[in-house]
Structures are given as C-alpha cells and as structure tokens.
Amino acid sequence: MRFDFIKCHGSGNDFPLIDARGIVLDDAIWAGVARALADRRGPVGGDGLLLLTDGDKTQAFGMRMFNSDGSEAETCLNGLRCVARAGFEALGLERAEVHLKTSVAHAELDRPLAAGVHTVRETAGPADLDVTHWPLSAPLTGLDAHEIVEQVIPMLPTARRFTAVAMPNPHLVSFDEVVDEDELVAVGTVCEAAPDWLPNRANVSFVTMRGDGIFVRTFERGVGLTDSCGSAMAASVFAACLTGRREFGVEMRVFNRGGLVLGQAESDGMVRLSGNATWEWAGSAEVDAARGIAGDLIVTRHYNDEIAAWAAVIETAAWIQAEPSA
C-alpha cells in the first residue's frame, strides 16, 4: 500500500500525518502502518502516526493516534494541533470540536507564538483523578485511595512523590528541583511493562519549576523517553495547580526539549494548551503493514519557511541550554 502523508511536529513531537478520511482499514493494519512509518530506523520516523478521520453530526473531523509500537493512544495533544490544522485547511474552518478515541477536544486557530509559526489552541479535559479508571490497582500498590496526589507509589523504583492525572490517557507526574533522566527511564520502564497493578501502562513525567512556568520531561507510553508529549504537558500544568505550585486560571509557559507551549488549567479540570503545528515536508511511501516496513520514499515538498520559523523559536529559547538535570 502506498500512503501520502505530511511530516509534521508539535513542540518537537514529530509524526507522519495521513488524511484518512474515507479510508477504511482494520485497526491491525493501521497499527502496522504506524510501526512502519514511525520507525526511527526507517525512511520516515516519528513518535507515532496521526490520522485525520471523518467527523459526524457533532464533530467536524476526528483524530486517531498510533504510537510507534502500534498501540493506540486515547489522545496526543501535540498531535491534535497538527491534525486540527490539517482539518481546518481541508474544510475551511478556524475552529472545531474534534472526536478523539475516548473523548472530544476543542481546537481553534490562535495568535502565532512567533512570526511564521502556525499556532493552534486546544482545550482538553476534564482531568480525571480517579485512578481506578486507568486502572491503577490500589491494593496491589499498598495505597488505599481512588486519588493519588503527592504520594509515594511503593511499586516504583523511587521514593519520589507522584500525582496521578488522566488527560484522558494516564499520567504520573513528579515535581523536583532537577530532572534525573536515568531515574525517569527506570520508572517509565516499570510502567511500560504493564505490571498487574497497572495493566494499561502510564506516561511518567518529571517536572521542574522554571521561572513563571514549568519544564516537563516525559517517558511516554508506547514511545519511551521523548522530547515532548502534549498530554503530559497538560497533565503537568493541572498537577502544578492542583498541588499549589501554580495558580488555576493563570497562563504559564511550559518548556520541554522540543520547544514550548502556553498552558492554563482551570479548577474544573479543563486544560488549555496553545502551541505550534508545523509542517516539515510532504511525501509518500510504500508500506508493508504486515511486516511494519516502509520504503520507496518520495518527498514532494519541503516547508522551509515553517522550519526556519520554528528554528528561530528554539534559538532564542535560552532555557533549553540552561535546563537543570542530574
């Protein structure tokens, strides 16, 4: 099968994006397409595969996101901005309700983060604090609560305290003065293994306070250590407000290795992110979904102006070089 796609990124979280409206394929085939196109060892590479899908009577269009391992995520907020831009351009819209796997999110065009940077505002939530919905089995962890806020989770190889937030995919968020990446990988690897107490896995983020904002580093479910994860940034924004480190209703800058977004959490659990949706290049490739292999890549266009606009954002962000780490 040959697929046309756009290689895009949101805050450094990069994906091939396929306009899948009108394309009917089994989920197993889409999973194979994701493994093929998102494979970093292949001709395209990415943190996952984005699909722009058909809408219905209440949503103009939808989004599906498959991780690089072929698993499907409930959402991907960096990816949502890219899909929203594609949907806006295809349908001539400036805002829409977007159908996700288990929820609906609002997206609309926003003022540019910087000159030449296509920017989309997305609103997701409400954040869900009930870990039995994940499920995270309290009896097996030694915890006796439906909510985990600033608590040690005994089954994890760390004494860090975590706050559990679903956006709607599950996140464990820990705040500290530095980001210890070895520790983050160790914790993320345990969660990625789908232990009995956490059968659907979870994303893990270590967060540091940065001026009037926050810095987020994430081990993403189905991906591993990633430069950026939109839903992790949303969960971290909400957790920062929930634990009193930042204020509800106040916009903050949210930094990551891939760039930045603007974030704001409300006390009702809704979280708004405003960030880039950048096209890098367009092309097509042959895909063997059964084997998860892509080949015969043809690049038809480069979006050099957009690439340069985002590079300017990165170059002026001195906080990237100043990132505290252990």
Side-chain angles (χ1 to χ4, degrees):
M1 296 179 288
R2 190 166 197 91
F3 291 93
D4 296 317
F5 57 88
I6 292 174
K7 186 65 186 297
C8 58
H9 80 84
S11 196
N13 213 181
D14 66 322
F15 314 90
L17 187 162
I18 295 174
D19 185 345
R21 292 173 300 158
I23 300 177
V24 179
L25 295 175
D26 291 342
D27 288 355
I29 295 178
W30 281 125
V33 174
R35 290 194 300 272
L37 292 181
D39 187 351
R40 295 291 185 188
R41 300 164 298 180
V44 182
D47 288 325
L49 171 68
L50 300 176
L51 303 180
L52 169 64
T53 60
D54 291 308
D56 55 24
K57 293 181 179 179
T58 57
Q59 286 92 44
F61 53 86
M63 177 189 106
R64 298 184 72 182
M65 187 275 189
F66 289 85
N67 295 309
S68 56
D69 67 354
S71 60
E72 186 172 5
E74 293 90 341
T75 189
C76 170
L77 295 182
N78 284 332
L80 172 60
R81 297 198 303 278
C82 295
V83 172
R85 176 183 170 183
F88 294 160
E89 293 181 358
L91 300 173
L93 302 173
E94 293 187 353
R95 59 182 55 82
E97 303 300 314
V98 185
H99 178 71
L100 308 178
K101 183 180 180 183
T102 60
S103 62
V104 175
H106 176 79
E108 61 184 81
L109 295 178
D110 201 1
R111 66 185 188 280
L113 285 176
V117 176
H118 290 262
T119 303
V120 174
R121 176 186 297 181
E122 56 199 344
T123 303
D128 185 359
L129 297 178
D130 190 340
V131 297
T132 63
H133 295 162
W134 294 20
L136 188 156
S137 179
L140 292 181
T141 63
L143 300 173
D144 185 21
H146 281 231
E147 297 183 3
I148 297 174
V149 179
E150 300 271 73
Q151 294 185 60
V152 174
I153 299 177
M155 303 299 286
L156 295 177
T158 179
R160 282 177 174 263
R161 296 182 180 275
F162 289 91
T163 296
V165 183
M167 287 299 307
N169 50 348
H171 292 269
L172 294 172
V173 180
S174 179
F175 296 89
D176 207 337
E177 295 182 357
V178 297
V179 171
D180 185 328
E181 290 196 354
D182 290 339
E183 184 182 11
L184 175 58
V185 170
V187 175
T189 299
V190 170
C191 295
E192 183 71 3
D196 290 344
W197 58 273
L198 190 64
N200 293 322
R201 307 178 295 172
N203 304 280
V204 181
S205 293
F206 287 0
V207 182
T208 63
M209 313 314 291
R210 186 69 58 81
D212 61 351
I214 60 176
F215 176 88
V216 182
R217 191 78 166 114
T218 301
F219 189 100
E220 186 174 359
R221 181 181 59 169
V223 177
L225 195 64
T226 181
D227 284 350
S228 178
C229 175
S231 60
M233 290 188 288
S236 298
V237 167
F238 183 80
C241 295
L242 181 70
T243 59
R245 292 177 169 86
R246 290 291 181 262
E247 294 183 32
F248 284 114
V250 177
E251 187 175 77
M252 69 184 78
R253 293 183 298 169
V254 186
F255 305 130
N256 56 67
R257 283 282 186 86
L260 80 158
V261 300
L262 301 178
Q264 182 172 317
E266 305 296 340
S267 58
D268 63 0
M270 303 304 292
V271 180
R272 187 202 75 200
L273 295 182
S274 186
N276 73 302
T278 298
W279 290 174
E280 295 183 311
W281 51 272
S284 65
E286 287 287 339
V287 173
D288 183 336
R291 295 195 297 164
I293 298 174
D296 190 22
L297 173 67
I298 298 174
V299 177
T300 57
R301 179 178 177 183
H302 289 279
Y303 294 84
N304 293 325
D305 290 346
E306 295 194 33
I307 294 171
W310 185 250
V313 173
I314 298 300
E315 288 172 3
T316 57
W319 42 263
I320 291 181
Q321 287 76 30
E323 174 196 339
S325 61

